[in-house]
Amino acid sequence: MNDAVDVALRLLIVFVVFLTFPLIVGQTEHKVMAHMQGRLGPMYAGGFHGWAQLVADGVKFAQKEDVVPSGADRRIFQIAPAVALLPYLLILLAIPIGPGEGAVGQVLDAGVFFVLAVMGVGVLGSLMAGWASANKFSLLGGLRTAAQLLAYELPMLLTAASVAMAAGTVSLPGILHAFHWWWVPWQIVGAVVFFVSGLAELQRPPFDMPVADSEIIFGAYTEYTGLRFALFLLAEYAGIVVLCGLTTVLFLGGWHGPWGADGLGWVWTLLKTAVLAFVVIWLRVTYPRLREDQLQKFSWTLLVPLSLAQIALTGIVKVVIS
Amino acid sequence: MSPATAPHGFLSPTGVEIAFVLVGLVTFGAALVTVTTRQLVHAALWLVMALGGLAVEYLLLTAEFIAWVQVLIYVGSVVVLLLFGLMLTRAPIGRSPDADSGNRWAALVVAVAAAAALVWVVVDAFRATWIDLDGTAAGSAKVTGASLFQHWVLPFEALSVLLLAALVGAIALSRKAKADRAAADIPGARSDRPTEGAR
Amino acid sequence: MAPIPGSGLAKGLAVTLRTMTRKTVTEQYPDAQPELPPRTRGVIGLFEENCTVCMLCARECPDWCIYIDSHKETVPAAVPGGRERSRNVLDRFAIDFSLCMYCGICIEVCPFDALFWSPEFEYAETDIHELTHERDKLREWMWTVPAPPALDPGAEEPKELTAARKAAEKLAAAQAEPTREEEA
């Protein structure tokens, strides 16, 4: 009985985090992007500086008609948003935010592989949406998504493998327990490569060719309306939370901090995640979109060699210090 | 794998065993639909389902590492499969009339023979070996890695060499095709583009 | 010196970060009224006391959005035996702001300073027909016309002032003349 309550409580907490954190990131994006462009952003919804803008957006999305194009493959079209969204919920289960058993949804022995594997599944949702929409722009977006996944999954895996090598374990809490502060400079190249590849896998600007609105309308999501469209957007922001959380855990030492690592470790995790989320938004505001071929070139000629070099460095240092 | 000492019977299945059988049925069904459906993309998506079911089976057998690697590798491969399916065929929404082969009976015979062989080998090898699911995980990353790089290191390396050969071969083929085209271009350069041949 | 690779990327990040810390340029319009310069072309006000119904504005208007109706009245002679004068009385002066393109030609051509720019801009209507505003409304807008802005330092004196000073000097000279004659 106690176990059941424990499991239910953990699931509930993860679910609440899953529903609120992406919204917080979204609202922050509204405001930060506005101020970086010399604007104010939403100011009305909710009264104080438009804090409830995304709630209002959600209400709007819920009111819209749910349209399925007549030429579309109905069932696949309808389940695609769930396929895109659910993997991120599963990943949140595995991300530890503090030391100890209580601070992680579920301790997984092969956590690194779990999170990367499940992140890849999310992209399948976009591909399904792109194919099932019976729309050439959607199909193009879907194909671009797939090409992007293939190009960026590899550097992501390699850099994650580098950290796993350094820690000697593939479990996320295990990696954090083995963490020392000098890992940050040691793995910094890997961290950057991981973060950038993650951005590309989430199709965040400047890597958003799959949804490039000025070229292919909204890519795979062109035909979506209402709640299903909102689910895709939620998946994007949940993806930001997951990516930032993962980068924090793998490269920035999660709950480790200059002080208070015992009781307030989760504050450090959240703080680092928030800073990374800010960087995600910052990059979006600053850089223009890459071209599709530049994107592929960037991955294969820069990120993959860099991640291989990082693995080599990790291996050398590991051999030297042991 | 350490066989458990307690006797097991088929008549009083545990929850894990029931789940194992149910997931197995789902996996089997998905695999059947994969090869029988006439909708190309649906077949690929059912394949995802079948492979995912397989991953769950691994999980139930506490082989966590294998399960996640299964998902990681096969989702990527299914994406590639979808890409090729979309690029090489029209992959229309709805049925493809030509997505059926005349060899279906031969294929069925081969499949049944292969399945029979596999099942026979597995049954013969393990017979009544039971995995102790409650003790230390028999398929954790540590155990898997140790057995892979101690007992099975030769097949592992042989596989790596095979994959490397495939990789090098693919690069060589693509470069050869490119070189051939370039060689064909130079004498065939059209006279209205004199600079083209001179590069 | 060759730029460090990536320095352009860093510069871009610096620009956005700096912009974020600066004050925004967003106008909080319905909450805070905008501060408009005095010569803002918001709406055209009519100072109907000055209007002589010369019709110049209506004729010069490029898109014929000014409607003027008038009738003639005879004014009795000011002195016995004098001639009766006739004058035009304004019956209707309306501007159709759905047609008006805010060129300001009417204001330029008005010889009697009866038309003025006002910065007032909140006169949206829900029906396009209601955008034809009549003389009372136009007269009301006269109250929102601000004083003209000060001239730039060192600018030429306004023509009105020059003319007025000339007239005043002439008058002063004419008044000074008879006193000198008396002295002589």
Side-chain angles (χ1 to χ4, degrees):
Chain A
M1 184 59 212
N2 220 352
D3 276 0
V5 171
D6 184 54
V7 167
L9 203 63
R10 276 162 194 258
L11 285 179
L12 187 72
I13 291 173
V14 169
F15 192 64
V16 168
V17 166
F18 179 69
L19 286 184
T20 51
F21 278 35
L23 292 188
I24 295 173
V25 172
Q27 181 68 18
T28 315
E29 176 168 42
H30 269 311
K31 295 306 268 188
V32 168
M33 190 153 84
H35 281 275
M36 282 186 170
Q37 294 167 343
R39 301 181 286 116
L40 282 171
M43 290 297 284
Y44 282 92
F48 179 74
H49 284 260
W51 66 270
Q53 182 60 46
L54 289 178
V55 179
D57 281 350
V59 172
K60 179 196 75 176
F61 277 127
Q63 287 169 343
K64 285 192 171 182
E65 187 187 356
D66 186 25
V67 180
V68 180
S70 60
D73 192 317
R74 273 193 96 79
R75 202 163 319 140
I76 294 187
F77 184 87
Q78 284 171 336
I79 62 172
V83 175
L85 185 62
L86 284 182
Y88 295 117
L89 178 61
L90 291 179
I91 296 176
L92 274 187
L93 272 176
I95 295 181
I97 66 160
E101 278 285 293
V104 54
Q106 172 65 44
V107 180
L108 288 172
D109 177 45
V112 173
F113 283 93
F114 169 73
V115 291
L116 291 176
V118 175
M119 243 176 135
V121 176
V123 175
L124 205 59
S126 295
L127 193 56
M128 284 163 69
W131 176 76
S133 290
N135 178 319
K136 54 183 173 261
F137 297 113
S138 300
L139 186 58
L140 276 176
L143 292 183
R144 285 184 178 191
T145 307
Q148 206 152 314
L149 170 77
L150 294 183
Y152 283 89
E153 186 88 345
L154 186 61
M156 237 178 143
L157 259 176
L158 289 176
T159 46
S162 158
V163 179
M165 269 169 70
T169 172
V170 285
S171 125
L172 291 175
I175 288 175
L176 280 175
H177 281 300
F179 181 83
H180 298 283
W181 67 267
W182 48 269
W183 283 26
V184 174
W186 180 24
Q187 302 286 346
I188 188 72
V189 175
V192 172
V193 170
F194 184 86
F195 192 60
V196 170
S197 324
L199 281 185
E201 197 161 319
L202 295 179
Q203 305 160 21
R204 286 287 299 175
F207 305 106
D208 61 335
M209 310 74 192
V211 294
D213 48 357
S214 47
E215 296 171 41
I216 51 174
I217 308 183
F218 211 61
Y221 319 137
T222 302
E223 294 286 359
Y224 281 88
T225 54
L227 270 182
R228 288 182 206 281
F229 182 72
L231 288 185
F232 273 121
L233 289 188
L234 187 63
E236 181 177 340
Y237 288 94
I240 294 176
V241 173
V242 162
L243 171 70
C244 297
L246 273 186
T247 313
T248 303
V249 167
L250 288 179
F251 295 96
L252 300 181
W255 66 71
H256 294 276
W259 60 86
D262 296 328
L264 295 173
W266 57 275
V267 176
W268 281 110
T269 308
L270 290 186
L271 194 69
K272 290 170 185 175
T273 308
V275 169
L276 282 176
F278 174 78
V279 172
V280 171
I281 299 165
W282 191 10
L283 291 174
R284 170 181 181 177
V285 181
T286 306
Y287 298 131
R289 184 185 305 130
L290 270 74
R291 224 169 44 215
E292 185 63 26
D293 59 319
Q294 290 170 332
L295 171 92
Q296 295 287 334
K297 199 176 166 196
F298 183 63
S299 169
W300 292 110
T301 63
L302 189 69
L303 292 186
V304 172
L306 274 182
S307 51
L308 287 174
Q310 173 68 61
I311 285 195
L313 178 72
T314 308
I316 291 167
V317 173
K318 188 83 182 162
V319 168
V320 167
I321 60 171
S322 64
Chain B
M1 287 178 208
S2 56
T5 46
H8 291 273
F10 288 102
L11 294 176
S12 57
T14 61
V16 176
E17 283 165 7
I18 295 172
F20 187 87
V21 170
L22 288 181
V23 174
L25 285 179
V26 170
T27 308
F28 183 66
L32 272 187
V33 180
T34 303
V35 290
T36 51
T37 182
R38 293 197 179 183
Q39 304 194 33
L40 204 67
V41 176
H42 283 202
L45 295 176
W46 279 112
L47 184 61
V48 174
M49 183 96 175
L51 295 171
L54 216 52
V56 175
E57 298 280 50
Y58 285 135
L59 266 187
L60 290 176
L61 295 176
T62 69
E64 202 188 313
F65 179 77
I66 306 283
W68 303 136
V69 170
Q70 160 101 0
V71 174
L72 186 67
I73 303 294
Y74 281 110
V75 164
S77 67
V78 164
V79 168
V80 177
L81 187 72
L82 269 179
L83 276 186
F84 277 97
L86 292 175
M87 286 191 293
L88 297 181
T89 72
R90 297 177 61 94
I93 288 172
R95 286 155 188 258
S96 311
D98 53 349
D100 209 357
S101 166
N103 303 329
R104 62 162 47 192
W105 292 111
L108 184 66
V109 169
V110 171
V112 168
L118 277 175
V119 168
W120 181 58
V121 167
V122 170
V123 166
D124 192 47
F126 295 104
R127 279 188 194 274
T129 312
W130 291 82
I131 302 171
D132 181 18
L133 296 177
D134 299 324
T136 51
S140 69
K142 196 163 196 157
V143 177
T144 311
S147 76
L148 197 60
F149 287 102
Q150 281 171 4
H151 305 299
W152 302 98
V153 71
L154 190 65
F156 180 80
E157 290 301 328
L159 265 180
S160 312
V161 172
L162 182 69
L163 288 176
L164 186 67
L167 198 67
V168 173
I171 294 174
L173 280 177
S174 65
R175 291 196 70 84
K176 187 162 173 291
K178 208 177 186 180
D180 282 351
R181 212 178 314 124
D185 266 356
I186 292 172
R190 296 218 299 274
S191 53
D192 58 349
R193 282 187 298 160
T195 51
E196 192 78 353
R199 81 196 130 139
Chain C
M1 190 186 96
I4 308 161
S7 63
L9 297 178
K11 219 182 275 177
L13 287 174
V15 166
T16 39
L17 196 63
R18 217 178 306 128
T19 313
M20 191 179 77
T21 59
R22 294 218 176 116
K23 206 171 151 30
T24 57
V25 296
T26 307
E27 293 277 354
Q28 298 271 76
Y29 159 57
D31 298 331
Q33 287 293 323
E35 284 181 21
L36 297 169
R39 296 231 162 109
T40 303
R41 300 185 167 201
V43 76
I44 296 167
L46 170 71
F47 191 53
E48 62 176 67
E49 290 83 344
N50 275 0
C51 182
T52 61
V53 203
C54 68
M55 302 290 284
L56 275 180
C57 52
R59 282 195 288 173
E60 293 294 331
C61 179
D63 44 14
W64 295 88
C65 67
I66 301 181
Y67 304 92
I68 299 178
D69 291 335
S70 67
H71 67 271
K72 226 167 227 180
E73 264 177 12
T74 42
V75 183
V79 289
R83 188 167 156 243
E84 287 184 336
R85 302 277 172 146
S86 69
R87 72 179 181 104
N88 281 329
V89 177
L90 191 63
D91 289 335
R92 180 185 184 220
F93 192 105
I95 300 179
D96 186 351
F97 283 102
S98 64
L99 287 179
C100 176
M101 57 190 199
Y102 302 88
C103 63
I105 289 177
C106 50
I107 293 161
E108 293 298 320
V109 300
C110 180
F112 300 103
D113 278 351
L115 291 171
F116 291 89
W117 277 121
S118 154
E120 179 61 39
F121 61 93
E122 291 173 310
Y123 51 96
E125 300 287 351
T126 48
D127 187 349
I128 198 167
H129 299 295
E130 290 165 17
L131 272 172
T132 308
H133 287 297
E134 298 293 337
R135 60 193 276 193
D136 45 347
K137 193 85 199 249
L138 297 178
R139 180 66 185 86
E140 260 169 47
W141 275 324
M142 267 316 290
W143 302 112
T144 64
V145 174
L151 291 172
D152 290 342
E156 200 183 317
E157 203 179 30
K159 295 279 188 300
E160 297 93 324
L161 278 190
T162 321
R165 177 169 311 116
K166 254 185 197 161
E169 278 168 4
K170 219 186 223 170
L171 192 66
Q175 281 173 348
E177 201 80 348
T179 49
R180 228 182 300 144
E181 273 170 16
E182 277 167 25
E183 279 171 16

